Amino acid sequence: MGRLFPYGGKAYVIGVTGPPGVGKSTLVDGLIGRLRDRGGSVAVLAVDPTSPFTGGALLGDRVRMSAHAADRGVFVRSFATRGYLGGLCRAVGDALRVVDAAGFDYIIVETVGTGQAEVDVMRYAPTVVVVLVPGLGDDVQMIKAGLLEVAHVLVVNKADREGAQRMIAQLRALLELSPPSGWTPPIVATVATRGTGVDELVEKIDLHREYMMREGRWEASRRRLLIWELEELVRRQAASAVLREAREGPLWERVCRELFSRRLAPHQAARKLWEDFLARTVRGDGGEGVPD
Amino acid sequence: MIPDDGYGGMGVSTIRVLIAKPGLDGHDRGAKVVARALRDAGMEVIYTGLHQTPEQIAEAAIQEDVAVVGLSILSGAHNTLVPKVIQLVKAKGGEDVLFLVGGIIPEEDVDFLKSCGVAEVFGPGTPTEHIVEYIRQRVGQRPQPGRGSPGGGP
């Protein structure tokens, strides 16, 4: 991964998210077609859920994208969440880096069907498309807390269904309530199975991309992602180092006993182990767990 | 329970299987039953959908880095389609892929398919546990090539 890293940072990442069954994969298929038409190569990373009971997964996103299966300018890789929450999976960051280094112009990250808090995709994609369908109706209230906030472009798919216009009006009303910023998410009505509205969707994605390119916004979002990844890795390394030390240390058993007998709450116990770790490794003054 | 790989996710040894429907027949009930059974056995199953060309299937097998390709054919065109898929997958670098065939395959064609590189043919009425067991035995212990760490580390 270290050798690949210098070659990356050029692809533009588009996130596609939304509740299950709204037509994300079919829309992505449409997007691939339009992006290919203008000569760009496209990699798709599509995430589907892993069963929490068996660990297995049925990854069906390819079914909607098979028109491009033999096109060398298109790469589709399916991922299972493997127990990871947030709408993506752990491998997606590395996978992004690989296809980025491979020189794809666009990378589309399709999340699992999401409801409220599975908004990890915003970390990776400077442009996030949130797909909804009519009939979510009253649920718009529920969605606004998470999904709507990450949207740069909103899609009302299956717009030939009853209630589409009402849904669009509701969304528009909700967006008017959000705090003013430099970008107001446009709402695009699509019928993905027929390709209706996909041109307009690409247009809006382009508009947002241009917006991101101005005043260093894209660069800022890429830096935020790198910092976040760095922090995650440091956090993980630090946590496992501290835990390893603590388990091997003389304090562990005592702290556990006090925990079991409820003399020490878990966060007090954690604090104690941390202090001991600092004392023994950082300050080097021996710590309280070492017998004198 | 999902086996822990130390990162709160599953291990790298999850078996990935491509279930594909080459050719023109539109009956995918069998393919879906098998896909479901493999999923329930803890495998990651990528389903291609109907009417796939051998080129599409081979490309999908490589892009998805699967250990097993299961081809379901009820059209009678297996003697043409199956060797083509196998040849394309191998040409694209999938030398270690295990090929399985299901569907309506006359007894007298089984030997020919095996000579082309098919590991096993599962006809109608095969208990799904047989297929699961067979895949586990053939793929389970073998290290899967080209599989990176899911942990996000370098």
Side-chain angles (χ1 to χ4, degrees), chain B residues 94-109:
Chain B
E95 288 90 1
D96 295 334
V97 175
L98 183 75
F99 292 94
L100 306 176
V101 174
I104 309 294
I105 310 295
E107 196 64 46
E108 60 266 29
D109 290 344

Side-chain angles (χ1 to χ4, degrees), chain A residues 55-138:
Chain A
L58 191 55
L59 311 173
D61 291 320
R62 282 195 94 91
V63 177
R64 318 268 176 240
M65 303 173 199
S66 60
H68 308 285
D71 178 350
R72 295 313 302 261
V74 178
F75 176 88
V76 180
R77 179 67 179 250
S78 313
F79 293 85
T81 51
R82 298 193 177 181
Y84 190 72
L85 303 174
L88 297 176
C89 63
R90 233 166 245 289
V92 110
D94 284 347
L96 262 175
R97 201 148 285 150
V98 173
V99 287
D100 188 0
F104 284 93
D105 299 307
Y106 298 92
I107 304 172
I108 300 176
V109 178
E110 184 192 328
T111 73
V112 296
T114 52
Q116 290 183 308
E118 303 93 333
V119 291
D120 267 5
V121 66
M122 62 186 264
R123 293 191 204 284
Y124 296 100
T127 299
V128 175
V129 178
V130 171
V131 188
L132 303 168
V133 288
L136 295 171
D138 292 342

Side-chain angles (χ1 to χ4, degrees), chain A residues 17 27 65 76 79 88-89 134 164 170 177 201 238 260 265 277 290:
Chain A
T17 187
L27 262 182
M65 303 173 199
V76 180
F79 293 85
L88 297 176
C89 63
Q170 279 175 332
L177 295 176
L201 173 59
F260 299 154
F277 175 82
V290 177

Side-chain angles (χ1 to χ4, degrees), chain A residues 17-237:
Chain A
T17 187
V22 295
K24 292 183 292 294
S25 301
T26 313
L27 262 182
V28 168
D29 182 57
L31 282 178
I32 299 171
R34 298 305 193 281
L35 296 172
R36 288 297 291 146
D37 284 347
R38 54 186 201 197
S41 54
V42 187
V44 179
L45 311 179
V47 188
D48 267 335
T50 291
S51 158
F53 298 104
T54 66
L58 191 55
L59 311 173
D61 291 320
R62 282 195 94 91
V63 177
R64 318 268 176 240
M65 303 173 199
S66 60
H68 308 285
D71 178 350
R72 295 313 302 261
V74 178
F75 176 88
V76 180
R77 179 67 179 250
S78 313
F79 293 85
T81 51
R82 298 193 177 181
Y84 190 72
L85 303 174
L88 297 176
C89 63
R90 233 166 245 289
V92 110
D94 284 347
L96 262 175
R97 201 148 285 150
V98 173
V99 287
D100 188 0
F104 284 93
D105 299 307
Y106 298 92
I107 304 172
I108 300 176
V109 178
E110 184 192 328
T111 73
V112 296
T114 52
Q116 290 183 308
E118 303 93 333
V119 291
D120 267 5
V121 66
M122 62 186 264
R123 293 191 204 284
Y124 296 100
T127 299
V128 175
V129 178
V130 171
V131 188
L132 303 168
V133 288
L136 295 171
D138 292 342
D139 298 346
V140 166
Q141 288 297 331
M142 187 184 74
I143 292 160
K144 69 179 174 189
L147 265 187
L148 223 51
E149 281 165 300
V150 305
H152 302 113
V153 180
L154 274 163
V155 171
V156 175
N157 192 30
K158 309 189 188 180
D160 52 345
R161 284 199 189 169
E162 197 194 321
Q165 285 314 309
R166 197 174 60 235
M167 171 116 197
I168 292 171
Q170 279 175 332
L171 286 171
R172 198 157 281 145
L174 275 172
L175 289 175
E176 278 167 15
L177 295 176
S178 31
S181 74
W183 176 262
T184 307
I187 304 170
V188 183
T190 60
V191 184
T193 48
R194 282 194 250 124
T196 314
V198 179
D199 282 327
E200 194 192 341
L201 173 59
V202 173
E203 215 172 277
K204 301 301 184 200
I205 291 173
D206 281 342
L207 268 181
H208 186 257
R209 185 185 172 177
E210 282 161 28
Y211 169 79
M212 290 302 288
M213 292 300 178
R214 285 198 300 270
E215 293 160 42
R217 291 187 186 92
W218 188 37
E219 184 56 30
S221 91
R222 290 196 299 181
R223 287 185 185 185
R224 264 200 308 279
L225 171 62
L226 288 173
I227 300 257
W228 176 75
E229 287 187 296
L230 176 64
E231 287 177 351
E232 273 295 299
L233 289 169
V234 169
R235 204 169 286 141
R236 218 183 284 166
Q237 285 165 8

